[in-house]
Amino acid sequence: MELAYLNGWLGSLEDAVVSVNDRGYNFGDGIYEVVRAYRGVMFALEEHLERLAMSAAVVEIDLPWGRAELQEITAGVLAESGIKDATVYIQVTRGTAPRDHLSGADMRPNLLVTVRHITEIDPVLYSEGIKAITMPEFRWQLCHVKSISLQASVLAKRRASRAGAVEAIFILPDGTVTEGASSNVFIVKDGVLMTHPADNRILPGVLRHFVLKVAETLNTAVKVQPYNILELKKADEVFITGTVAEIVPVINVDGKTIGNGRPGPVTAGLHKGYSALRKR
Ligand code: PDD
């Protein structure tokens, strides 16, 4: 029988449920392995568990289970299922907590192990071969999609937090500033407001849209065009935008003071204008 193991619970696959606060569900904030079992024995489990440990280390998930324990759990679920030719799926998410990019340090990861019958591979694939197509590598270059695949953003937030910062600002290889891990970024230089154009490299933020609208009503000069990290650090003002925090001044980037190190007048004016527009 196809089985699921979830944090110590064992039952039928259909009955296994996770919280809507699971970080895998909200952020894609997890890692996994797929192991094949032949005649009731998993092949290369050690290699899979080694890769799981590597993935966990990279995304900063502390696995509370040792290698031997994971071996025991997975082998136990497989044996219990009675399935001989099986696909064993092992998934670890960062844990369960109210949605926030930065999760609490005390969170315990969730472990899911499922055992299913293998999907038979059509023998024609082996005898006749298959067709393939090529496409430009685009993983993950769809930043305009408000996707729940947020693991990179989660990691960026964690690194920012460790550096004593609140937000991480993404820079492309050529130095272009795109956006924050969970915000859009604006700079002000000599009275001109600048932000990256709304293409596939940024999320077209709703607050970003309203800031541009307010700027127009205030007759602020606006350039919606890419700018680079040097312009960012030499800006008179920098601020980030997002639905919840609205408009937040940034006074320091990578240790470099922005402007005079105090929230600037253009930022304040835009926030005031936004508040007025919102209350209308
Ligand atoms: N994030 N860019 C990214 C990558 C974001 O995740 C967000 C918002 C924004 C700003 O979008 P808006 O102005 O529509 O809120 C820009 C939300 C706040 C979040 O993930 O919690």
Side-chain angles (χ1 to χ4, degrees), residues 77-232:
V77 186
L78 177 63
E80 193 68 30
S81 76
I83 300 175
K84 298 295 172 206
D85 281 325
T87 304
V88 180
Y89 177 77
I90 306 167
Q91 176 180 293
V92 177
T93 68
R94 197 177 302 278
T96 308
R99 187 187 180 280
D100 188 331
H101 286 66
L102 269 187
S103 46
D106 52 346
M107 195 184 306
R108 187 181 162 88
N110 290 321
L111 172 63
L112 169 72
V113 178
T114 64
V115 176
R116 301 165 201 257
H117 294 284
I118 63 152
T119 329
E120 288 297 339
I121 310 287
D122 188 342
V124 168
L125 299 190
Y126 300 107
S127 60
E128 303 300 316
I130 62 160
K131 290 181 186 171
I133 62 165
T134 66
M135 65 182 66
E137 169 65 83
F138 67 94
R139 299 170 296 170
W140 176 253
Q141 292 163 47
L142 303 177
C143 299
H144 56 311
V145 177
K146 202 156 172 60
S147 166
I148 56 171
S149 301
L150 285 171
Q151 196 166 48
S153 306
V154 166
L155 276 182
K157 282 277 191 194
R158 291 172 67 88
R159 289 172 191 169
S161 174
R162 275 204 296 277
V166 169
E167 183 59 305
I169 296 173
F170 290 122
I171 312 295
L172 296 179
D174 70 356
T176 300
V177 177
T178 55
E179 66 174 336
S182 66
S183 62
N184 292 115
V185 181
F186 288 77
I187 63 171
V188 180
K189 185 70 181 175
D190 299 328
V192 181
L193 183 67
M194 279 179 82
T195 198
H196 193 285
D199 57 17
N200 66 306
R201 292 166 162 179
I202 70 160
L203 185 82
V206 173
L207 247 286
R208 174 185 176 281
H209 166 77
F210 281 106
V211 164
L212 292 173
K213 237 175 135 158
V214 171
E216 205 177 300
T217 63
L218 296 179
N219 290 320
T220 309
V222 176
K223 281 188 188 168
V224 178
Q225 65 182 51
Y227 55 91
N228 65 32
I229 186 169
L230 296 175
E231 292 171 283
L232 173 74

Side-chain angles (χ1 to χ4, degrees), residues 28-44:
D29 195 9
I31 54 177
Y32 75 99
E33 286 291 330
V34 176
V35 189
R36 172 83 192 261
Y38 301 86
R39 285 179 238 103
V41 181
M42 282 176 279
F43 178 72

Side-chain angles (χ1 to χ4, degrees), residues 8-89:
W9 177 93
L10 184 68
S12 87
L13 210 54
E14 293 71 34
D15 293 337
V17 284
V18 294
S19 162
V20 292
N21 276 335
D22 183 281
R23 291 186 61 94
Y25 186 66
N26 279 324
F27 290 102
D29 195 9
I31 54 177
Y32 75 99
E33 286 291 330
V34 176
V35 189
R36 172 83 192 261
Y38 301 86
R39 285 179 238 103
V41 181
M42 282 176 279
F43 178 72
L45 180 60
E46 263 179 43
E47 283 81 353
H48 283 287
L49 290 181
E50 193 174 323
R51 190 171 61 189
L52 187 78
M54 180 275 290
S55 299
V58 173
V59 303
E60 301 170 8
I61 294 178
D62 275 332
L63 296 180
W65 319 276
R67 212 70 65 89
E69 197 178 348
L70 286 175
Q71 250 165 24
E72 199 178 310
I73 293 170
T74 45
V77 186
L78 177 63
E80 193 68 30
S81 76
I83 300 175
K84 298 295 172 206
D85 281 325
T87 304
V88 180
Y89 177 77

